[in-house]
């Protein structure tokens, strides 16, 4: 397969697709290695994972360089690699205590003379199907806790952003004890992965997530899905409008808005709407795209060029239905890349696609409200429930409103914090996901299967107890 450079528009990278036979062989190799890996115990695995993090840090320049070509962004690529190593270190430090906290005491059964001893074992082979928007972080966000739980891990990165795999395979060669492997290709490789693993995690669109869930159901394996979002932000009358404008802009446009936790709908109280919008437009117009110099500016190109066309279609639909464009609003094709400056839309309505569907771009549709109850109802009026945010004059006010929003994680006095806070457990609502939280303790514990050792300490009954006419 070939991969496209999002800055030049050229298909300048080629990689080998992993065949069905190679996938089966890799899965068999990992399964064979998994028992010894699990037998190392959490402390032993943590020591190996710490070495894994150190080798990643040593190779960070080459990993980030490959990643920056695939994504068209440099600073975020460096942050991603650093974040991946930090995630590994965090789970390695936390896992031993998590295992120690698991219930281990003998339980007395309701059945007389019977005791129950809890035991735990990891799913042998974990699989991940990963997206293109944060290729390094999201290819490891589930695999790392799975490995720390004792699983072997088979990961399929996105075929849109494959270049980082080459330096990462060089990293893995330096940590041979680690039962982790990457397989490459399109949807057919993802399907093959599901047929080989015992537990699958998917990050991506809701439409594709449904297909993954159906395929996993046919295999009778758990599917953990982190899907799309249409995250709202409520800004109350007591909030400082200039501060709110800065938070709202950053929360919406980082990584060119190509993040599931980006703020995609803004509801601002009428009392501060005018100064808020004025400052929001001012801030937006100060944002620079990273063209022609990729080392200067804030917003890179769309990684996946068809996404730019989808975002433009949302903007055009909103304009046709009466929305006003206060800044941005038009895709720019520059040097083969597809760019969009921060786009602020006013006078939006719920009939517009930009208010109903995931946009996944640097677009900020703003709705003015008069009543906080109406704002909460509008924020909850969506098929999604990934995350949300509230900005108010006090934390207490923000918390009161935030607790009523139908989403898994609510940022208070900030926005899109799930991209920065990895230990806050949350479970997506509605069409935004399925299964336990990937954050918090459950991020690891979901990969352990509970086993009960049922001990008969009395006299085992004989077949005569079931004889017809036997006394009860």
């Amino acid at each position: 397969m070939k991969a496209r450079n999002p800055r030049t528009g050229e298909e300048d990278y080629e990689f080998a697709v992993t065949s069905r036979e190679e996938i089966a062989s890799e899965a068999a190799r990992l399964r064979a290695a998994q028992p010894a890996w699990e037998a190392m115990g959490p402390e032993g695995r943590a020591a190996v994972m710490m070495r894994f993090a150190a080798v990643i840090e040593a190779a960070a320049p080459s990993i980030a360089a490959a990643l920056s070509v695939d994504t068209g962004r440099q600073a975020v690529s460096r942050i991603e690699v650093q974040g991946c190593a930090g995630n590994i270190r965090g789970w390695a430090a936390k896992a031993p205590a998590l295992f120690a906290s698991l219930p281990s005491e003998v339980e007395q059964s309701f059945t007389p003379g019977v005791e129950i001893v809890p035991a735990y074992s990891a799913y042998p082979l974990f699989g991940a199907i990963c997206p293109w928007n944060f290729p390094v972080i999201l290819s490891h966000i589930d695999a790392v806790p799975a490995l720390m739980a004792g699983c072997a891990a088979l990961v399929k990165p996105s075929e849109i952003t494959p270049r980082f795999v080459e330096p990462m395979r060089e990293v893995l060669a330096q940590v041979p004890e680690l039962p982790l492997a990457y397989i490459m290709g399109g949807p057919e490789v993802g399907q093959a992965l599901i047929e080989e693993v015992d537990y699958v995690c998917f990050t991506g669109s809701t439409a594709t997530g449904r297909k993954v869930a159906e395929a996993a159901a046919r295999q009778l394996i758990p599917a953990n899905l982190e899907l799309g979002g249409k995250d709202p932000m409520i800004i109350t009358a007591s909030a400082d409008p200039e501060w709110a404008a800065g938070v709202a802009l950053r929360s919406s446009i980082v990584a060119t808005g190509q993040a599931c936790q980006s703020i995609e709908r803004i509801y601002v109280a009428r009392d501060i709407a005018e100064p808020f919008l004025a400052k929001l437009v001012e801030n937006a117009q100060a944002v620079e795209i990273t063209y022609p110099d990729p080392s200067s500016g804030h917003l890179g190109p769309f990684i996946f060029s068809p996404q730019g066309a989808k975002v433009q279609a949302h903007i055009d639909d909103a304009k046709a239905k009466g929305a006003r464009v206060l800044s941005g609003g038009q895709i720019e094709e520059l040097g083969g890349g597809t760019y969009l400056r921060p786009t602020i839309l006013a006078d939006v309505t719920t009939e517009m696609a930009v208010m109903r569907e995931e946009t996944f771009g640097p677009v900020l549709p703003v709705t003015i409200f008069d009543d906080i109850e109406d704002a909460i109802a509008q924020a909850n009026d969506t098929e999604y429930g990934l995350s949300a945010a509230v900005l108010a004059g006090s934390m207490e006010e923000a918390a009161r409103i935030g607790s009523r929003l139908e989403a898994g994680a609510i940022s208070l006095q900030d926005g899109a914090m799930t991209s920065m806070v990895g230990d806050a457990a949350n479970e997506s609502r509605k069409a935004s996901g399925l299964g336990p939280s990937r954050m918090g303790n459950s991020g690891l514990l979901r990969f352990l299967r509970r086993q009960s050792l049922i001990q008969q300490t009395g006299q085992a009954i004989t077949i005569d107890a079931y004889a017809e006419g036997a006394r009860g």
Side-chain angles (χ1 to χ4, degrees), residues 229-233 263-268 311 313-315 317-318 321 323 345-360 363-368 375 377-384:
K230 192 69 185 171
D231 291 4
M233 172 180 278
I263 295 300
E264 292 210 356
R265 294 176 293 146
I266 297 172
Y267 300 93
V268 61
V311 173
H314 278 197
I315 296 168
D317 172 74
K321 293 174 180 174
L345 301 176
D347 300 336
V348 292
T349 65
T350 55
E351 290 75 29
M352 299 172 184
V354 76
M355 294 296 286
R356 309 300 304 178
E357 303 171 14
E358 186 175 36
T359 302
F360 223 61
V363 180
L364 297 78
V366 179
T367 298
I368 298 172
Q378 289 188 68
N380 288 336
D381 182 20
T382 175
E383 67 171 315
Y384 297 106

Side-chain angles (χ1 to χ4, degrees), residues 370-390:
D370 294 296
D371 179 74
I372 190 62
E373 294 298 322
D374 182 48
I376 293 170
Q378 289 188 68
N380 288 336
D381 182 20
T382 175
E383 67 171 315
Y384 297 106
L386 190 63
S387 49
V390 182

Side-chain angles (χ1 to χ4, degrees), residues 133-134 226 229-235 243-244 246-255 257-266 360-361 364 386-391 405 407-422 424 426 439:
N133 56 326
F134 291 95
E226 184 85 359
K230 192 69 185 171
D231 291 4
M233 172 180 278
I234 293 178
I235 305 171
W243 162 72
V247 174
L249 184 73
R250 187 266 304 162
S251 303
S252 302
I253 70 167
V254 164
Q258 300 166 117
C260 55
Q261 79 282 347
S262 289
I263 295 300
E264 292 210 356
R265 294 176 293 146
I266 297 172
F360 223 61
L364 297 78
L386 190 63
S387 49
V390 182
L391 306 181
L405 297 181
I410 315 298
S411 298
L412 304 179
Q413 305 298 69
D414 205 335
M417 291 180 72
T418 51
S419 64
M420 298 175 276
V421 182
N426 64 86
M439 308 297 188

